[in-house]
Amino acid sequence: MTRVLGAPGRWSVAAQTFALQVLIAVLVVAAGLVGAYGQAQRAGDQEAIARALAVAETIAATPAVISAVQGPDPSAALQPYAERVRVETRTDFVVVMSRDAIRYTHPDPTQIGKKFIGHTEDALAGGVVEEDYTGTLGPSSRVVVPVTDAGKVVALVSVGIRKSAVGERVRAQLPGLLLAGLVAALLSGLGTALVSRRIRRQTHGLGEQQLREMYEYYDAVLHAVTEGLVITDLDGRLRLANDEATRLLALPADAVGRPVADLGLGPALTAALTDDASHEDELHVTSARVLVLNRGPARWQGRLLGHVATLRDRTDLEALTGELDSARGLTEALRSQAHESANRLHTIVSLIELGHTDRALDFATDELQVSQLLTDRVVGSVDEPALTAVLLGKAAEAHERGIAFGIEPGSHWPRGVAPMRDVVTIVGNLIDNALDAVTGGPGTPGSARPDRQVRFASRVEGAYAVLEVSDDGPGLPPGGVEDAFRRGWSTKEQGSAGRRGIGLALVAQTVERLGGTLEVSGPPGATFTVRLPAGGDDA
């Protein structure tokens, strides 16, 4: 089957590079050969002049020549001598002439006695004539030197070499020049083939248009994708980060090419972006966001190039999830209370039916007093309805799980300290953490010991509003405080929703964003103290 090459513009980059390099190599070699030939021609001319000058000066200084040119018959004495010198020196003519340029010798005896064709003025003045001139033998490179006796010019000597003879000598060198050019062309072709092979391997045989389109689409996709995309190499260096990844991670402008460990990310996130493991739907908390990370190896034809990670912003979703969990907890607490209220109502009805009306009245009054006392304390301490609802819901959940939940007397939380969404996030997560710490895990009703309880307190200290949540649980392990707030770390098993360890990290993130401080003390137990500037705006 005959393969027809398309237009050069559709060739691969390697093929185009090879063709251009071959063309350049051919032009360079051709130019080199032309230059070498010209240089050889100039060198031949210079060598001919130098040889002719040496022969002419030697003849002019010979005593027999000086004597003969002043004798009665110079031609008879000099013609045999001149021809012998011409043959021995491989020159084309040796002409001895008078001061009036009348030839005494010549390779063609018929020219003897005739006037020399050429310039002799400088030689008559004692100098040397070097010129290319066309005489009786055709174009030649010649010299004319004076023959002196006692400082007086008595005759002239001209020696020349025909241009055709010089050309023949240069042409004799041409096979060597062509051989050198051929060797240069072969070496250049070999180098070009190796370069083309390397380019083909690096560009995967793609054409110029394909590479341009690939880059344009690649760049457009990176800017358009809504997820953060991060690519790291095997040395843990950042090789690519799109716009969304740069925004989510707050990367500096010169981040690409630097080690991930030098980008100021948290320890857990840095480890997740640089280790060799795969990560799926991991939650990571930065100073301002909650991110979902997925990471896997990037391979090309079985060869590991690095790792690719995607990042999704889950900050708002995580806050809403926390609020939803609180609402679910409150719903569950109301369901439990409705169930208990039904049991109490049945008890009261039964006591009345049995005729124990006094005991039924006492039973109903006691239950109402306990519930009303907690409600009155919460309502009297907190001016924010949303925070009141959260505390009542957590109190009901604690009661269902067998935990004593108390609010310190004199507690007070003023209105407008911070956006209520943030306050609910802080209080809800701290109380959830305390309830889990007391019972040993979420949703384990009845497992609390009678001497364990959770307490909430709030107050104003100068320019700060302070809230505290404390419990009688085991407290954080040594060294666990920093992990709990910076890494989303948890002492409990991972939940089904993958949210374990995020609550305290969200608290720390929210407090930092609001310009407050967060402290923890214990064991025994654990007390979380949050201080927020009291001049915030309500949301």
Side-chain angles (χ1 to χ4, degrees):
M1 186 175 79
T2 303
R3 183 179 179 182
V4 180
L5 293 178
R10 300 182 63 85
W11 294 357
S12 68
V13 172
Q16 293 184 39
T17 302
F18 179 76
L20 289 175
Q21 287 181 322
V22 167
L23 177 61
I24 292 173
V26 169
L27 293 177
V28 169
V29 171
L33 288 176
V34 172
Y37 184 82
Q39 182 66 25
Q41 185 74 40
R42 286 191 297 272
D45 291 341
Q46 293 173 357
E47 187 270 339
I49 290 292
R51 186 151 55 93
L53 180 61
V55 173
E57 288 178 342
T58 300
I59 293 173
T62 302
V65 174
I66 297 174
S67 175
V69 297
Q70 299 179 80
D73 191 2
S75 294
L78 294 176
Q79 175 68 9
Y81 172 76
E83 284 300 297
R84 185 173 67 252
V85 171
R86 180 182 67 80
V87 173
E88 291 177 351
T89 58
R90 290 181 298 176
T91 54
D92 289 309
F93 66 85
V94 174
V95 175
V96 181
M97 69 193 84
S98 67
R99 287 177 52 85
D100 296 329
I102 301 300
R103 301 186 185 100
Y104 294 145
T105 66
H106 195 279
D108 180 6
T110 61
Q111 299 295 327
I112 296 175
K114 297 180 179 180
K115 191 175 181 64
F116 174 77
I117 302 175
H119 298 91
T120 61
E121 292 82 2
D122 291 342
L124 289 173
V128 176
V129 176
E130 295 180 359
E131 65 179 352
D132 291 338
Y133 202 85
T134 301
T136 58
L137 299 178
S140 63
S141 296
R142 61 176 65 180
V143 297
V144 180
V145 298
V147 179
T148 61
D149 184 17
K152 180 181 177 181
V153 177
V154 296
L156 300 174
V157 176
S158 176
V159 178
I161 300 175
R162 288 178 300 169
K163 284 287 188 179
S164 59
V166 175
E168 289 175 359
R169 294 190 182 94
V170 173
R171 285 191 292 274
Q173 302 176 14
L174 189 58
L177 294 176
L178 293 176
L179 180 60
L182 179 60
V183 172
L186 290 176
L187 292 177
S188 177
L190 178 60
T192 299
L194 293 176
V195 170
S196 176
R197 180 180 178 184
R198 178 176 177 83
I199 293 177
R200 180 178 294 106
R201 185 170 61 250
Q202 291 180 332
T203 60
H204 304 293
L206 297 176
E208 174 189 357
Q209 182 177 356
Q210 292 173 302
L211 287 176
R212 183 174 64 252
E213 291 178 352
M214 181 181 295
Y215 175 79
E216 291 173 352
Y217 284 120
Y218 155 89
D219 189 66
V221 168
L222 286 181
H223 285 82
V225 69
T226 57
E227 290 187 353
L229 182 64
V230 174
I231 298 180
T232 55
D233 61 18
L234 299 178
D235 296 326
R237 292 181 177 273
L238 181 66
R239 288 304 175 190
L240 184 144
N242 67 348
D243 295 345
E244 183 67 5
T246 301
R247 182 184 71 86
L248 294 178
L249 299 178
L251 296 176
D254 60 345
V256 175
R258 294 172 54 186
V260 175
D262 297 342
L263 299 180
L265 305 178
L269 188 55
T270 298
L273 291 175
T274 55
D275 61 20
D276 295 330
S278 296
H279 301 267
E280 184 176 353
D281 291 337
E282 282 189 359
L283 293 181
H284 288 268
V285 179
T286 67
S287 60
R289 303 182 185 280
V290 178
L291 304 177
V292 180
L293 179 142
N294 286 274
R295 184 170 180 264
R299 300 183 183 276
W300 170 258
Q301 296 182 347
R303 181 167 59 95
L304 181 63
L305 302 179
H307 293 82
V308 180
T310 60
L311 299 167
R312 299 194 306 274
D313 191 356
R314 192 174 168 176
T315 306
D316 294 337
L317 177 60
E318 195 63 32
L320 292 174
T321 302
E323 294 178 10
L324 179 59
D325 287 346
S326 298
R328 288 175 176 173
L330 181 58
T331 302
E332 187 65 21
L334 292 174
R335 181 200 59 77
S336 177
Q337 283 187 334
H339 182 70
E340 292 185 5
S341 296
N343 290 337
R344 292 169 187 157
L345 182 60
H346 285 303
T347 302
I348 294 172
V349 171
S350 298
L351 288 174
I352 293 174
E353 290 178 348
L354 294 174
H356 302 292
T357 55
D358 293 338
R359 296 183 62 182
L361 181 61
D362 293 338
F363 180 81
T365 304
D366 291 339
E367 291 294 330
L368 288 174
Q369 288 178 345
V370 172
S371 300
Q372 190 63 40
L373 179 63
L374 177 61
T375 302
D376 292 343
R377 181 176 296 176
V378 172
V379 174
S381 302
V382 180
D383 294 337
E384 293 288 355
L387 183 56
T388 300
V390 170
L391 292 175
L392 288 176
K394 297 302 180 184
E397 180 181 353
H399 179 71
E400 181 185 7
R401 295 168 63 174
I403 302 171
F405 182 82
I407 297 179
E408 293 294 329
S411 294
H412 175 64
W413 185 261
R415 180 186 293 271
V417 172
M420 282 314 302
R421 179 176 177 179
D422 293 333
V423 175
V424 169
T425 296
I426 295 172
V427 174
N429 280 291
L430 288 180
I431 294 179
D432 285 341
N433 182 76
L435 295 176
D436 291 346
V438 168
T439 60
T444 54
S447 62
R449 283 171 24 198
D451 59 339
R452 299 236 170 140
Q453 58 180 332
V454 174
R455 294 172 298 278
F456 172 84
S458 60
R459 59 187 179 275
V460 176
E461 292 182 354
Y464 291 91
V466 182
L467 62 85
E468 288 182 351
V469 176
S470 58
D471 62 75
D472 291 334
L476 293 175
V481 175
E482 183 176 352
D483 290 336
F485 292 119
R486 294 190 180 181
R487 296 178 51 195
W489 171 86
S490 176
T491 59
K492 298 174 282 296
E493 295 182 357
Q494 188 78 4
S496 60
R499 300 188 62 250
R500 294 259 56 86
I502 294 298
L504 291 182
L506 279 174
V507 171
Q509 179 193 99
T510 304
V511 171
E512 181 179 358
R513 178 163 46 81
L514 294 176
T517 61
L518 175 59
E519 300 173 358
V520 59
S521 59
T527 300
F528 294 84
T529 303
V530 176
R531 289 181 170 84
L532 299 177
D537 297 328
D538 194 8

